[in-house]
């Protein structure tokens, strides 16, 4: 069953009801993502113009309850160790909720900067796993806090350069396969650091255009299945490269819309599958970038409201498609 | 069920050997954003975990606890971290730990922590050889698993001077591609092995290597033309070695045309034709030929490229119509 429009009120309700999950075990198994999930929910609400649907005070309290005072960062859940992924989400949420005054900025900056490795990439935490996703989290967070000078920008850029593959794409670490999500974090980081020259823009934008399948959906690497979340990873990278018009946006829009749950709300990875807040966030984000009517503008570099990022003086030279009239 | 297994089924609160520990319940305040929902088993395990983290205990029973916690929730990154530090503190057998990980890795193939933990163990153990077989086993379950491939690349990079480790890699990747010619991860790995890790002894004759790779790739394209991974690899070989795409003009042309019923089966290593039953024309071949024309630069060639792009935009690859129209516009602008 295909749905012609984005059912905003239903998706808002879906996000509001997330905490009332009946599936206790699922709730547990996703505790390591909880703070990220709150960010995904909030970002989706902002795109849909319903930021107020979740209580601001409660959200800020939850964020602060994830503060790991020993490390000086945020964990994914109370009692979880600080990690860059959750720290980034925490900072994004606090910025979106205008609550940066709650943050011990010097301490968190110290936590973030301390995770940079000699090679320029970042570890996620003291466990030591490295990934270009963590590099993006560091660059994103530090730039939101106006503290990019606390990291070695040159080394980070060089690390990204070494992650560039023969197909123009980027992987999770040096030598790893090109993958759209990793392309986003590398291109996003380069955009923030004003080093998009590291991209081979022609080859990369071709590779990104090749992600679109006949169904209209986008995949993450050649010969894999299309998935709604790639709507964001691929589109944001193209938007940053000013090549968003390469995509067949009509077909992409109908693909994303067909992945909605018409009864309970939310968006899934592809039509017919179970919905989750991750795909709801990135589905609506993708729709916003291609100009779907009735949505707020999104900054593809930060995946946060465009107006807010612009007000902070952080807007880069990306281009989204013009918003259609509804 | 033996006694040990029976013990594992008990909550930690019920186990006599844990009676000296006071469990610490989770952060109390429940908010609608993150209400407290738990199964008794998970609550119990995490309550005891919090207690030993607070007391800083490093012991065998901590290994038992973290193992159970990881089995309940393999993404609990704090548990992994604490387990690793405990192993080091106890000077436990990392080899035994590795064997345990062999079981968990298959179960939790898509969990980052399982793979990172393994990297840490192998970094200390310095026994990379058996890992190759282990990785192959994982790939049989999920042949495109990003973590698994990335781990193999890490292993080969970390032990880059281990010639024994590298010896069978070309054969390995040839087999994986043979199993599924459409596996993009495999083609990427081949590039990593052949071009991405410096020149290995025995591979100093780069011209021979390039010839070998071109033949290999073309043969695979001949078997299954509509395979973007192989075409991307072909471009990769030429780009890396700064060779013109026009070297492949004769090879590419038959793939840009509809199937010729009069095709004779010929064996031509340099220019293997499309195999019988191939779906032609092949979009990637048309793209490739258009690029050859564009790179030639003169007006005639550019117009030939434009024709090919038009066929893609209007007929063969309409989902990318806007992209091909952009290529046409750009090329025509440069031609004037």
């Amino acid at each position: 069953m295909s749905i012609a429009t984005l059912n905003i009120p239903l998706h808002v309700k879906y996000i509001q009801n997330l905490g009332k999950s009946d599936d206790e075990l699922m709730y547990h198994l996703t505790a390591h993502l909880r703070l990220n999930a709150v960010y995904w929910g909030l970002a989706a609400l902002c795109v849909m113009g319903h930021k107020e649907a979740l209580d601001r005070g409660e959200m800020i309290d939850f964020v602060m309850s994830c503060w790991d005072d020993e490390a000086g960062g945020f964990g994914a859940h109370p009692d979880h160790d600080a990690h860059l992924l959750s720290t980034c989400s925490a900072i994004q949420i606090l910025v979106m909720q205008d609550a940066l005054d709650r943050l011990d900025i010097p301490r968190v900056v110290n936590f973030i900067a301390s995770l940079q490795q000699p090679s320029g990439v970042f570890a996620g935490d003291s466990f030591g796993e490295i990934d270009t996703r963590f590099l993006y989290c560091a660059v994103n967070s530090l730039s939101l806090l106006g503290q990019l000078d606390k990291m070695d920008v040159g080394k980070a850029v060089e690390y990204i350069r070494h992650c560039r593959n023969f197909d123009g794409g980027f992987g999770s670490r040096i030598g790893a396969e090109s993958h759209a999500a990793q392309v986003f974090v590398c291109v996003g980081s380069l955009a923030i650091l004003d080093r998009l020259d590291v991209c081979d823009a022609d080859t990369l934008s071709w590779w990104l255009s090749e992600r679109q399948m006949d169904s209209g959906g986008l995949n993450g690497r050649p010969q894999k299945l299309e998935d709604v979340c790639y709507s964001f990873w691929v589109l944001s990278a193209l938007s940053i490269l000013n090549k968003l018009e390469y995509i067949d946006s009509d077909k992409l829009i109908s693909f994303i819309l067909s992945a909605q749950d018409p009864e309970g709300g939310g968006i899934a990875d592809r039509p017919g599958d179970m919905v989750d807040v991750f795909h709801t966030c990135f589905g609506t984000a993708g729709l916003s970038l291609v100009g779907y009517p009735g949505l707020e503008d999104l900054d593809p570099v930060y995946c946060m409201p465009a107006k807010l990022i612009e007000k902070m003086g952080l807007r880069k030279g990306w281009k989204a498609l013009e918003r259609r009239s509804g | 069920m033996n006694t040990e297994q029976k013990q594992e089924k008990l909550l930690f609160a019920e186990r006599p050997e844990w009676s000296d520990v006071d469990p610490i319940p989770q952060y109390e305040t429940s908010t609608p954003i993150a209400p407290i929902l738990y199964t008794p088993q998970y609550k119990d395990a995490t309550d005891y975990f919090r207690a030993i983290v607070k007391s800083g205990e490093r012991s065998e029973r901590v290994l038992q606890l973290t193992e159970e916690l990881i089995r309940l929730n393999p993404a609990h990154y704090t548990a992994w971290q604490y387990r690793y530090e405990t192993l080091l503190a106890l000077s436990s057998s990392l080899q035994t730990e590795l064997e345990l990980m062999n079981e968990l890795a298959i179960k939790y193939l898509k969990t980052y922590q399982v793979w990172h933990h393994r990297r840490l163990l192998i970094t200390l153990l310095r026994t990379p050889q058996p890992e190759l077989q282990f990785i192959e086993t994982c790939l049989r379950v999920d042949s495109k698993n990003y973590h698994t491939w990335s781990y193999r690349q890490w292993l080969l990079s970390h032990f880059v001077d281990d010639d024994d480790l590298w010896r069978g890699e070309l054969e390995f990747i040839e087999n994986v591609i043979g199993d599924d010619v459409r596996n993009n991860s495999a083609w990427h790995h081949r590039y990593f092995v052949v071009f991405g890790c410096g020149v290995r002894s025995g591979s100093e004759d780069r011209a021979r290597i390039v010839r070998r790779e071109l033949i290999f790739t073309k043969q695979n394209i001949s078997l299954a033309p509509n395979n973007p991974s192989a075409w991307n690899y072909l471009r990769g070989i030429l780009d890396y070695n700064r060779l013109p795409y026009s070297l492949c003009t004769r090879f590419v042309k038959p793939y840009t045309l509809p199937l010729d019923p009069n095709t004779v089966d010929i064996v031509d290593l340099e220019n293997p034709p499309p195999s019988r039953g191939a779906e032609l024309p092949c979009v990637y071949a048309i793209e490739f030929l258009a690029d050859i024309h564009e790179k030639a630069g003169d007006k005639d060639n550019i117009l030939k490229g434009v024709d090919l792009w038009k066929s893609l935009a209007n007929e063969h690859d309409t989902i990318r119509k806007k992209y091909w129209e952009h290529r046409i516009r750009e090329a025509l602008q440069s031609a004037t």
Side-chain angles (χ1 to χ4, degrees), chain A residues 19 27-29 62 76 79 81 126-129 172-173 175 177 206 209-210 212 221 223 245-246, chain B residues 34-35 37-38 42 50 72 77-78 81 112 116 144 146 154 182 184-185 188 227 229 287 320 322 326:
Chain A
Y27 185 82
H28 266 314
L29 294 182
F62 176 72
D79 298 336
D81 286 350
S126 54
F127 197 28
E129 186 195 350
S172 61
R173 41 202 298 160
E177 186 186 358
W206 162 79
S209 315
E210 293 280 340
Q212 192 160 27
R221 19 178 190 150
Q223 318 206 73
E245 63 272 14
Y246 288 1
Chain B
L37 298 168
Y38 41 71
Y42 192 76
R50 267 183 286 276
L72 286 172
Y77 55 90
T78 307
Q81 189 153 345
Y112 291 97
H116 182 65
K144 299 182 183 182
Y146 194 83
W154 170 81
R182 299 179 191 284
N184 194 71
S185 307
H188 169 85
N227 177 8
S229 306
E287 284 184 41
R320 259 166 289 285
K322 292 189 185 154
H326 155 82

